[in-house]
């Protein structure tokens, strides 16, 4: 490594900070530090003349490491790094410290102490800089193709978007036809628009002969670059972001998509009848069938579970185009895609487990999906709500809300769309059959979307009745074939027995059946309710922790159609951004393993939140950990986990942590005991920043060492801090459930607990060590914690190291 020549640039923030910090003393101190080749003072160094000063020093090779004391570190770090790179220096040889918000503002009442702390902070930055090494960028080739899993509203939307942008798109749907749950829904709230219309492509090139977005008439299948694979599922995913190798299993349709002319002769001769899942099993279909109204593909399919195959083969004989082949076998296709979008939607919860509602026992207790099929003119009852028990029109209908949702016995969450579905169905029935008596039993009506409240008002005006209460039991009177819904009206405080011909259960919406299996195949996570988990719903919606894999629509949480479409657009744009250059360029700020030291304990592959570590064979039964440079996010959680110190971060080596610990504790200048605070770069450091920005004061003896994530901290770092002179140690990280690296905060907590036990064993008070979990806006809490820790260690007295 070349000899480090550090340039130190001290910004006085337009002359503000020197009123508190003694810049003369700072400059003289910095000049005396070995390895410092240049010290410059100015008003700002991240733009204008100040930045030019840095660039000139780099160009003339006076310096090869840059330390800047600036006031807006995040912005300045980016600007300075880019400028030095243009000047010929690796952009990672820059360290920026904030002596305003970490020093001048919070300690403005004690300028001497503040100056001493500034010296310590700058010294730590210099010592870290001296040990910095250039970090390269790597390029990973990526293919411009995307796999979309799930052919419902969201999946079709995302697939269409990407195909229109020029990507090769594979849309894989496990059912024989596209459309998903939405295709069965007849109409959508709050516009009462046709479900089939809304789900189809908006693309100008795809819509032919019509301005309506109708799936019958638009050429979804004609969109260039869009390959639709129905009756198919993903069974294996290998490779990585930019270059996934996906194995898709395609079940045989037995009917050739190119030959079938949808003449319907086959169904007329097929002798086998089966319950029609598309019509919620309220009607029957043949073993060879097609969904009506038609959705893509307009081609018949044979139900392999029902068909008698060669024992019958009547359809083969009658087919005029010889489209049917009963010997077809499943196919396996390998797709090479750069990115994957999951849009597998959600499904209705099976309410038969809720014994008091007798679903599955009383035929006239149905779900919303069953009612939706009845209300479809193409459906099993031709658009009339009937009692399935005898087929008679239902004149009295009671809706029961929150069935299996907002109920800790089944699903604690609110499914968010069921209130609106009940309102939609109630108004549809009222419009077509105004004499129908309709009652909705609800806990709260949640009509929170745009125009949803009008929809609710419309239902009331039409005469739909509302009873606030969750029914306790549904009883069947066999004498009259009437259902009786027992419910306590919470507003009127009386028990009601509502007579009904049909009871409609607004069931919870739950994750698709194969969500768990697919999550395992893709290596992504599910949330506590079993839906696919976004990396960060606020900051990185539709992303998962695995680069290149995105999620959208109802697979993330139940959504109405406009929201699912928006979500799908977002996922499509993210996938497009990810692949548009045909390569992924990444700074190698990642972990590296010294394989000679690796003891094959297998801790790190399990701990890495991004699945970036694998074990590779080294011969004779020995394995060693290996980090994927593409997948690694550089958090350091693995570093904190490795028991033998075999892993380190390129951007924060163990020697740099140690050097900073020593430097921060080398200068005191206060009468108070020194406290070292390890803070993560995310919420922890942001809380420290915000405390200074808001000019909250705390003692200057508290020194902050920033690490990428508190998960990197090991017990020996804490002991090292005590040994170097800290009387107390704080670990300041994100909230455990808000950690930017998922598990880092939790891992740090475990390390803190272990270190406390060790301290106790050494006769050192464990109270000298504490972990704090904060968010950005909790600068006040950081200031309070810093004060409390200082008072605590003052009370404990000087640390006695045996
Ligand atoms: S630094 Fe973080 S992301 Fe990278 S390998 Fe280690 S644990 Fe995984
Ligand atoms: S934690 Fe350390 S020793 Fe264990 S497998 Fe990973 S690198 Fe090897």
């Amino acid at each position: 490594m070349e000899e480090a020549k550090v340039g130190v640039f001290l910004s006085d923030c337009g002359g503000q900070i020197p009123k508190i910090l003694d810049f003369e003393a700072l400059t003289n101190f910095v000049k005396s530090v070995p390895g410092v080749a240049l010290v410059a003072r100015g008003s700002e160094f991240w733009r204008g003349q100040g930045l030019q000063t840095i660039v000139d020093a780099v160009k003339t090779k006076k310096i090869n490491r840059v330390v800047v004391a600036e006031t807006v570190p995040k912005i300045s770090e980016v600007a300075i790094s880019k400028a030095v790179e243009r000047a010929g220096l690796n952009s990672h040889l820059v360290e920026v410290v904030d002596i305003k918000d970490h020093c001048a503002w919070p300690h403005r009442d004690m300028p001497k102490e503040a100056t001493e702390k500034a010296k310590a902070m700058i010294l730590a930055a210099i010592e870290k800089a001296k040990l910095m090494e250039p970090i390269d960028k790597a390029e990973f080739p990526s293919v411009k193709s995307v796999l979309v899993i799930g052919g419902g509203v969201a999946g079709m939307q995302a697939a269409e978007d990407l195909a229109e942008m020029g990507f090769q798109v594979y849309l894989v749907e496990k059912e024989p036809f596209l459309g998903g749950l939405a295709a069965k829904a007849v109409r959508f709230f709050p516009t009462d628009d046709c479900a089939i219309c809304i789900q189809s492509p908006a693309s100008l090139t795809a819509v032919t002969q019509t301005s309506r977005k109708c799936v019958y008439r638009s050429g979804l299948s004609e969109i260039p670059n869009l390959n639709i694979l129905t009756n198919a599922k993903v069974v294996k995913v290998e490779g990585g972001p930019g270059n996934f190798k996906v194995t898709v299993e395609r079940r045989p349709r037995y009917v050739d998509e190119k030959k079938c002319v949808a003449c319907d002769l086959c169904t007329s001769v097929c002798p086998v009848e089966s319950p029609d899942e598309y019509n919620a099993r309220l009607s029957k279909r043949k073993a060879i069938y097609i969904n009506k109204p038609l959705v893509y593909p307009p081609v018949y399919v044979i139900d392999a579970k029902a068909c008698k195959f060669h024992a019958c083969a009547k359809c083969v004989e009658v087919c005029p185009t010889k489209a049917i082949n009963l010997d077809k076998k499943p196919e396996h296709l390998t797709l090479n895609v750069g990115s994957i979008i999951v849009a597998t939607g959600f499904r209705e919860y099976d309410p038969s487990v809720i014994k008091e509602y007798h679903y599955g026992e009383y035929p006239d207790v149905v779900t919303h999906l069953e009612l939706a099929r009845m209300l479809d003119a193409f459906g099993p009852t031709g658009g009339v709500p009937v009692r399935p028990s005898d087929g008679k029109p239902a004149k009295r209908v009671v809706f029961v809300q929150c069935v299996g949702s907002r109920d800790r016995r089944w699903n604690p969450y609110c499914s968010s769309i069921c209130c609106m579905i009940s309102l939609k169905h109630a108004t549809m029935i009222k419009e077509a059959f105004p004499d129908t008596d309709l009652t909705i039993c609800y806990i709260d009506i949640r009509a929170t979307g745009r125009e949803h409240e009008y929809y609710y008002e419309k239902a009331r005006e039409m005469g739909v009745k509302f009873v606030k209460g969750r029914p306790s039991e549904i009883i069947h009177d066999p004498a009259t074939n009437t259902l009786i819904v027992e419910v306590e009206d919470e507003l009127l405080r009386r028990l009601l027995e509502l007579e009904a011909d049909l009871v409609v259960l607004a069931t919870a919406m739950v994750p698709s059946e194969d969500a768990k299996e697919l999550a395992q195949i893709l290596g992504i996570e599910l949330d506590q309710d079993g839906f696919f988990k976004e990396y960060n719903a606020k900051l990185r919606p539709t992303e998962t922790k695995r680069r290149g894999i995105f999620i959208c629509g109802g697979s993330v949480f139940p959504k109405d159609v406009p929201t699912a479409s928006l979500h799908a657009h977002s996922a499509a744009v993210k996938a497009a951004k990810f692949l548009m250059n045909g390569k992924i360029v990444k700074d190698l700020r990642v972990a590296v393993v010294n394989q000679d030291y690796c003891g094959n304990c297998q801790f790190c592959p399990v701990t890495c939140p991004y699945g970036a570590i694998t074990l590779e064979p080294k011969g004779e039964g020995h394995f060693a950990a290996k980090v994927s440079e593409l997948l690694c996010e550089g958090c350091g959680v693995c570093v904190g986990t490795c028991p033998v110190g075999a892993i380190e971060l390129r951007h924060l080596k163990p020697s740099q942590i140690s050097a900073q610990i020593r430097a921060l504790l080398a200068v005191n200048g206060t009468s108070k005991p020194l406290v070292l605070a390890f803070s993560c770069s995310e919420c922890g450091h942001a809380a420290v920043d915000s405390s200074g920005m808001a000019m909250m004061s705390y003692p200057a003896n508290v020194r902050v060492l920033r690490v990428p994530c508190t998960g990197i901290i090991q017990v020996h770092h804490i002991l090292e801090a005590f040994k170097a002179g800290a009387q107390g140690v704080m670990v300041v990280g994100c909230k455990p459930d808000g950690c930017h690296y998922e598990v880092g905060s939790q891992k740090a907590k475990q390390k803190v607990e272990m270190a406390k036990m060790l301290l106790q064993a050494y006769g050192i008070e464990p109270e000298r060590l504490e972990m704090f979990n904060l968010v950005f806006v909790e600068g006040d809490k950081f200031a309070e914690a810093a004060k409390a820790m200082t008072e605590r260690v003052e009370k404990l007295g000087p640390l006695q190291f045996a």
Side-chain angles (χ1 to χ4, degrees), residues 181 280-281 346-362 365-370 402-405 407 409-411 413 415 504-513 531:
L181 204 53
R281 304 174 77 85
F346 56 87
R347 67 188 161 97
E348 274 192 334
Y349 186 60
D350 178 0
S352 59
V353 293
I354 307 168
K355 296 298 173 204
E356 59 269 30
Y357 293 160
H358 303 276
Y359 177 79
E361 185 184 346
Y362 301 159
V365 178
V366 299
T367 67
H368 263 312
L369 196 54
E370 288 164 330
C402 303
V403 175
S405 54
D407 186 334
R409 292 175 301 167
W410 318 110
N411 300 289
Y413 56 88
S415 297
V504 184
L505 304 180
T507 62
M509 301 299 171
V510 295
S512 61
E513 275 154 351
F531 293 99

Side-chain angles (χ1 to χ4, degrees), residues 474-491:
I474 298 170
I475 296 164
H476 179 238
D477 177 3
T480 56
N481 193 20
T482 299
L483 295 168
I484 296 157
V485 179
E486 291 188 339
V487 58
E488 182 188 346
D489 186 325
E490 290 176 20
L491 298 180

Side-chain angles (χ1 to χ4, degrees), residues 133 445 735:
E133 284 177 38
I445 291 292
K735 303 267 185 206

Side-chain angles (χ1 to χ4, degrees), residues 605-727:
V606 178
T607 313
C608 172
Y610 304 96
I613 307 183
T614 48
L615 291 172
E616 62 174 19
K618 287 279 145 195
E620 295 173 2
H622 185 70
F623 289 82
K626 185 168 192 290
V627 176
S628 157
E629 293 179 335
L630 183 55
L631 296 178
C632 176
E633 296 278 338
C635 61
V637 171
C638 56
V639 179
T641 304
C642 181
V644 294
I647 316 179
E648 62 181 40
L649 293 182
R650 281 213 174 96
H651 48 294
L652 187 63
K653 293 170 185 296
S655 56
Q656 290 175 308
I657 298 179
S658 299
Q660 289 184 90
I661 291 174
R662 288 193 301 272
L664 284 166
L665 300 169
V667 187
N668 188 344
T670 82
S671 56
K672 294 187 182 298
L674 286 170
V675 174
L676 186 77
F678 292 98
S679 84
C680 73
S681 294
E682 307 295 340
C683 295
H685 213 68
V688 183
D689 288 345
S690 72
S691 150
M693 283 177 208
M695 294 202 177
M696 289 161 182
S697 86
Y698 58 87
N701 56 303
V702 177
R703 307 286 156 84
V704 182
L705 194 165
R706 183 173 62 158
V707 292
C709 169
T710 50
I712 195 175
I713 294 166
Q714 285 174 295
V715 172
H716 72 77
H717 292 132
I718 294 167
L719 301 181
E720 222 176 312
F722 282 119
K723 211 166 159 207
Q727 302 282 302

Side-chain angles (χ1 to χ4, degrees), residues 593 597-605 615 625 638 641-644 646-647:
V593 178
Y597 292 170
C598 173
N600 184 22
C601 71
Q602 309 195 5
F603 287 170
C604 59
L615 291 172
C638 56
T641 304
C642 181
V644 294
I647 316 179

